[in-house]
Amino acid sequence: MQASRGDLGLRAAAALLAWLAGTALQLQQATLWPIEAHVAIVALALPLALYAAMRASRMALLLLCMALGALAFASTSLRAAHRLDQQLAPALEGRELLLIGIVDEMPQLSPEGVRFVLAVERAFDGQAQAVTPRRVSLVWLYGLADDGSVAALRPDLRAGQRWQLPVRLRRPHGAMNPHGFDGELWLFEHDIGATGSVRSALAGARPALLDETHQRPIERARQALRDAVVLRLDDARLGGVLAALTVGDQAAIARADWDLFRDSGVAHLMSISGLHITMFAWLAGGLVGWLWRRSARACLWMPAPQAGRWGGLLVATGYALLAGFGVPAQRTLLMLAAVVLLRSAGLRWPWPLVLLGVASLVVAFDPWALLQAGFWLSFAAVGLLMANDPLRIDARPAGAWPRVRAAARAQAVASLGLAPLSLAFFQQVSLVGLLANLIAIPWVTLLVTPLALLGVAWPWLWHAAAGVLSPLVALLQGITAWPGAVWHAPAAPAWAVACGLFAALLGLLPLPWRLRVLALPLVLPMLWPALARPPAGRFELVVLDVGQGTSVLVRTQSRLLVYDAGPAYSRDADAGQRIVVPLLRARGETRIDRLVLSHRDTDHVGGAESLSAALPIGSWHTSLADAHPLRGLAGAHEPCAAGQTWSWDGVRFEFLHPAAGERAQDARPNALSCVLRVVDAAGRSVLLAGDIEAAQEAALVARLGAALHSDMLLVPHHGSRTSSTDVFLDAVQPRLAMVQAGYRSRYGHPAAEVLARYQARGIMLVRSDRCGAWTWHDGSFECARDTRRRYWHWNDQALGAKVASPGDTGERRP
């Protein structure tokens, strides 16, 4: 009997691993296979799986695993194909549509407007009914009323309301950069088929609340509690953290607080997490068990311990739903359900099988969770704790001091074991995380969170929760201010990550020390990976995908120049913080030797403050006026001027504009753009032209003529019709040209007539909205959308774009 149980456990584990492997393989697809192929796979694999499941041989197990892997692959593909079919048709992009639908989730507020998801019921394109995605993400920007007030036009959106909204939609599209956040995956995973904005009016139809429905009751309750917490407290930042702890609204936490919690290693505590749900289930189970014992009849029907477990699970389910049912909540709830079911049935399964089963259920529910850092961090934390001390419930340490030691040991295991995953996903690990968690876990779990939850019944307790939270935030600020509090490491190759993960297991599993010490050499390639740098006399150019704005990296063998810092997206978000800094850290950059800010427009300097706060900057070259706020951040600041030259590692840099006498304080910012030319030892050259316009182009041609010739040109002013004149293009004669412009730019960049000029000259034109980040070195280049291509990503084939001859706007490679 024991052997048969062991065999069943091994078969179950192999089957679950096959399911996960099939799903993981499907997520690597650049394009989906035809639907017919997946239907055929299901038709063949399903009977094979049923046949193999009834056999006990090794060959049957192999067939079972192959069939389940194929079923996972095909079923995920069929679900993906259905979601792709639900996305907005290209023909409807940019058109004025009228939508009628239900506010599907709790709206997210910001100083600029409100973002929400609309479940579309009907859609109209003019008088005709239109087919749109069933869920769209919309932003409703605040406007100014006739009296100049913003509040007068601030919509009071509530989950469950039915609205009529004039909108303009576009297909899911986000920035695509190496090591960057995949916004298109996030939209796809959340089944959002279009994004867009609410318009003020459309053919007489204005935004209108049609009725208050009784739909989305959970989201309505979450929103009511979130708003009550935020309005109750004077300190908006503390209110945001308490809202996250009460209803799981992570968006309520300010950017600066997220940075603090991430650097201190306690970010997992500052929203509803598995630890909080477990604590809630434990408290609820204890209360239910205590009440159950008061009734003899109830105890005869079901033992009090079992009733407590089921009661705790039921209450935890409600709490998880109130939390938004994210991956940590799913994992914890399923783990609790597995434990309750097994204990109720009198069974004790090995913990790896329980963990594997729960992970497979989460993936079956949401296959794309496999690509989220939270999935791996969440399950790895539980697995490490189980492996190190397999949760012997009946052998709890007696006495206060042994329990403290056990808790400290568990936290040390989690902190050290998760460090490789943290480095792999975020290229950083908090070195003060162990200390911070030893303080924060009991503080948040036993004080802040209970007070925040009790505030639902007694709102005055939210003030007490804020009072308890405030000194913890101050303490974390002090800890993270210590030198070396956070370790940053470059993105490591896959083999180094695998070595690091194996090192964590080897070091923490209860093995002999002669084996555990091998973890040290195994983890070194992940801590200090080799960095790819150009040889002497060469440079690498990375044109980032920052939307409507500019940011370019120029890397020589030992130096880094950053040309512009990208746009500011909102009051608390910019390209520096979201895109440039993460990429620099993933590339192993520890300083910016020179920051060039071409001119003062916010789409070029919006991220400069974030860059300055994150990395040391050797010197600044700008065309900013003396009174500009960024001048106060600059250390060694120097105005860029024509004729300035320097050489790094055999690569020559030269400013060509603005010339002397063109720096009048009242000049248009575009006219003062710093124009930089970079030439390597082999004569390959790049011209970074900023936002110069026709007059500046003519002046450059008159002054330099054929000396402007460059192999690659950063298209002036994002392809505006005010730039890229014929005479300028004839002088530069680039082989390649790169346009940095936002997807479906509201400014019409790049203009059609400008594209025609490049195409008429046979110049290969690459667009950041279609290519993503563009890397150029040794005369060849690659697009991030090519190297990172997955089936959920935006692609220009739907627009009818072709990859053909030089000059074609869909061109990818030379």
Side-chain angles (χ1 to χ4, degrees):
M1 178 64 69
Q2 187 66 32
S4 64
R5 285 184 179 179
D7 290 342
L8 287 175
L10 288 175
R11 287 174 63 85
L16 293 172
L17 284 172
W19 183 273
L20 292 174
T23 305
L25 181 63
Q26 194 277 340
L27 299 181
Q28 305 307 308
Q29 283 190 293
T31 57
L32 292 177
W33 296 350
I35 296 295
E36 295 79 9
H38 298 302
V39 173
I41 290 175
V42 173
L44 293 173
L46 186 57
L48 180 61
L50 294 175
Y51 169 81
M54 295 184 292
R55 301 292 186 273
S57 66
R58 292 184 178 179
M59 179 58 69
L61 178 60
L62 178 61
L63 291 176
L64 177 63
C65 291
M66 293 174 60
L68 287 177
L71 282 173
F73 184 97
S75 62
T76 303
S77 295
L78 290 171
R79 292 173 63 182
H82 178 68
R83 290 196 179 187
L84 290 175
D85 286 341
Q86 292 290 318
Q87 291 187 347
L88 184 71
L92 293 179
E93 281 194 293
R95 295 185 63 84
E96 300 280 0
L97 304 176
L98 185 67
L99 302 184
I100 296 175
I102 304 290
V103 179
D104 204 33
E105 299 176 0
M106 175 173 58
Q108 302 297 330
L109 307 178
S110 72
E112 292 80 20
V114 56
R115 186 176 295 277
F116 61 102
V117 174
L118 187 76
V120 179
E121 297 175 323
R122 286 178 292 166
F124 299 92
D125 182 7
Q127 298 299 317
Q129 195 156 347
V131 178
T132 62
R134 60 190 176 190
R135 279 166 49 92
V136 298
S137 175
L138 299 173
V139 60
W140 193 338
L141 298 176
Y142 301 143
L144 292 177
D146 294 336
D147 61 358
S149 65
V150 175
L153 293 182
R154 183 167 290 186
D156 184 21
L157 284 174
R158 299 282 169 182
Q161 292 177 334
R162 178 176 285 109
W163 280 80
Q164 167 188 283
L165 297 171
V167 302
R168 184 176 290 170
L169 300 179
R170 67 181 193 176
R171 297 164 63 210
H173 187 284
M176 185 63 64
N177 294 281
H179 313 291
F181 174 70
D182 192 344
E184 293 168 28
L185 171 61
W186 187 93
L187 292 170
F188 185 81
E189 184 181 9
H190 289 79
D191 199 15
I192 294 173
T195 62
S197 58
V198 176
R199 317 298 290 178
S200 59
L202 170 62
R206 302 182 66 85
L209 173 63
L210 299 182
D211 68 278
E212 297 273 359
T213 74
H214 296 290
Q215 301 183 44
R216 317 305 192 268
I218 294 176
E219 288 299 313
R220 290 178 70 90
R222 294 182 69 213
Q223 183 177 357
L225 288 174
R226 189 269 313 269
D227 294 349
V229 173
V230 173
L231 292 175
R232 184 89 181 185
L233 299 175
D234 295 330
D235 191 323
R237 292 178 62 176
L238 293 178
V241 177
L242 292 181
L245 290 171
T246 305
V247 297
D249 183 16
Q250 298 184 20
I253 299 180
R255 165 187 155 188
D257 289 328
W258 269 127
D259 292 340
L260 172 65
F261 300 147
R262 185 186 64 248
D263 290 346
S264 58
V266 302
H268 63 103
L269 292 174
M270 298 306 172
S271 183
I272 295 178
S273 66
L275 180 63
H276 301 145
I277 293 175
T278 303
M279 178 201 71
F280 204 65
W282 177 69
L283 292 175
L287 179 60
V288 170
W290 181 81
L291 292 174
W292 203 268
R293 292 184 182 92
R294 309 277 77 79
S295 170
R297 181 177 297 179
C299 289
L300 290 174
W301 181 69
M302 178 184 291
Q306 186 170 334
R309 286 193 290 269
W310 281 103
L313 177 62
L314 183 63
V315 174
T317 301
Y319 186 39
L321 292 173
L322 191 65
F325 208 60
V327 169
Q330 295 172 25
R331 182 262 303 166
T332 304
L333 193 63
L334 289 172
M335 287 287 291
L336 291 173
V339 170
V340 170
L341 285 170
L342 291 173
R343 294 294 294 272
S344 297
L347 300 175
R348 288 182 179 271
W349 283 7
W351 68 262
L353 188 59
V354 175
L355 193 66
L356 193 58
V358 171
S360 299
L361 283 175
V362 171
V363 170
F365 176 75
D366 178 11
W368 301 277
L370 272 174
L371 299 173
Q372 304 299 333
F375 175 89
W376 296 100
L377 291 169
S378 181
F379 279 99
V382 175
L384 284 168
L385 294 175
M386 285 181 166
N388 211 269
D389 184 9
L391 295 181
R392 295 187 294 272
I393 298 174
D394 299 326
R396 295 173 181 171
W401 177 242
R403 291 185 180 183
V404 170
R405 289 180 58 190
R409 182 173 180 272
Q411 184 54 49
V413 167
S415 297
L416 296 176
L418 294 179
L421 277 177
S422 181
L423 284 173
F425 286 117
F426 310 117
Q427 288 79 56
Q428 74 169 56
V429 63
S430 175
L431 298 183
V432 297
L434 176 58
L435 174 61
N437 275 281
L438 288 175
I439 299 171
I441 285 179
W443 201 318
V444 173
T445 304
L446 302 179
L447 294 176
V448 180
T449 302
L451 288 172
L453 294 176
L454 290 173
V456 174
W458 299 283
W460 58 269
L461 286 175
W462 283 326
H463 291 284
V468 173
L469 177 62
S470 182
L472 175 62
V473 171
L475 181 62
L476 294 177
Q477 289 172 336
I479 292 176
T480 55
W482 294 351
V486 181
W487 174 277
H488 294 283
W495 67 268
V497 173
C499 288
L501 296 176
F502 183 66
L505 288 175
L506 197 62
L508 294 174
L509 287 176
L511 298 172
W513 277 104
R514 64 179 180 273
L515 295 178
R516 299 171 82 172
V517 295
L518 295 176
L520 292 176
L522 283 173
V523 80
L524 291 180
M526 191 174 188
L527 293 176
W528 289 281
L531 300 178
R533 295 290 186 256
R538 304 288 179 86
F539 68 90
E540 179 187 24
L541 186 83
V542 183
V543 182
L544 302 184
D545 182 7
V546 294
Q548 185 66 33
T550 296
S551 186
V552 180
L553 312 181
V554 183
R555 218 328 162 168
T556 68
Q557 187 178 51
S558 64
R559 302 292 188 96
L560 172 69
L561 179 142
V562 177
Y563 182 88
D564 283 337
Y569 301 122
S570 65
R571 296 184 191 179
D572 59 354
D574 57 71
Q577 172 252 341
R578 286 189 176 181
I579 296 174
V580 186
V581 170
L583 178 56
L584 292 179
R585 285 180 171 159
R587 289 169 56 91
E589 306 289 358
T590 57
R591 63 178 272 120
I592 299 172
D593 294 283
R594 184 156 297 172
L595 175 62
V596 177
L597 300 179
S598 63
H599 61 295
R600 71 176 188 230
D601 286 355
T602 56
D603 59 332
H604 293 253
V605 303
E609 188 171 352
S610 294
L611 291 184
S612 177
L615 294 169
I617 299 175
S619 63
W620 299 52
H621 278 65
T622 76
S623 64
L624 303 178
D626 293 340
H628 195 282
L630 287 175
R631 291 291 295 267
L633 298 176
H637 176 90
E638 187 175 350
C640 53
Q644 292 175 335
T645 63
W646 69 96
S647 180
W648 286 345
D649 305 316
V651 178
R652 187 172 185 271
F653 297 77
E654 180 181 6
F655 282 119
L656 307 182
H657 184 82
E662 294 179 335
R663 295 187 50 82
Q665 294 294 321
D666 59 348
R668 291 184 58 194
N670 291 352
L672 298 179
S673 291
C674 302
V675 177
L676 179 65
R677 188 167 183 264
V678 185
V679 186
D680 70 7
R684 284 183 286 263
S685 54
V686 168
L687 186 63
L688 307 178
D691 278 1
I692 59 171
E693 298 181 348
Q696 292 76 49
E697 291 179 354
L700 281 170
V701 172
R703 181 157 45 87
L704 298 173
L708 285 172
H709 171 67
S710 301
D711 297 299
M712 181 267 171
L713 170 67
L714 185 67
V715 174
H717 201 183
H718 317 288
S720 167
R721 60 175 53 90
T722 63
S723 305
S724 296
T725 58
D726 291 307
V727 65
F728 182 71
L729 295 182
D730 290 339
V732 178
Q733 297 182 0
R735 181 170 61 92
L736 302 168
M738 177 68 182
V739 182
Q740 278 187 299
Y743 179 64
R744 299 191 64 83
S745 167
R746 60 176 176 171
Y747 303 105
H749 297 160
E753 56 265 41
V754 171
L755 296 178
R757 291 177 205 150
Y758 284 89
Q759 189 165 13
R761 289 164 174 79
I763 300 170
M764 185 180 298
L765 192 70
V766 183
R767 298 172 50 162
S768 62
D769 58 341
R770 299 187 181 185
C771 165
W774 187 77
T775 303
W776 190 76
H777 52 85
D778 291 337
S780 62
F781 70 90
E782 63 184 19
C783 291
R785 285 195 177 273
D786 290 340
T787 58
R788 297 186 63 185
R789 172 70 63 193
R790 295 294 183 270
Y791 58 80
W792 56 81
H793 288 151
W794 179 95
N795 70 86
D796 54 8
Q797 300 303 312
L799 301 180
K802 56 187 182 300
V803 182
S805 60
D808 192 296
T809 57
E811 187 68 49
R812 283 289 181 271
R813 298 184 184 276

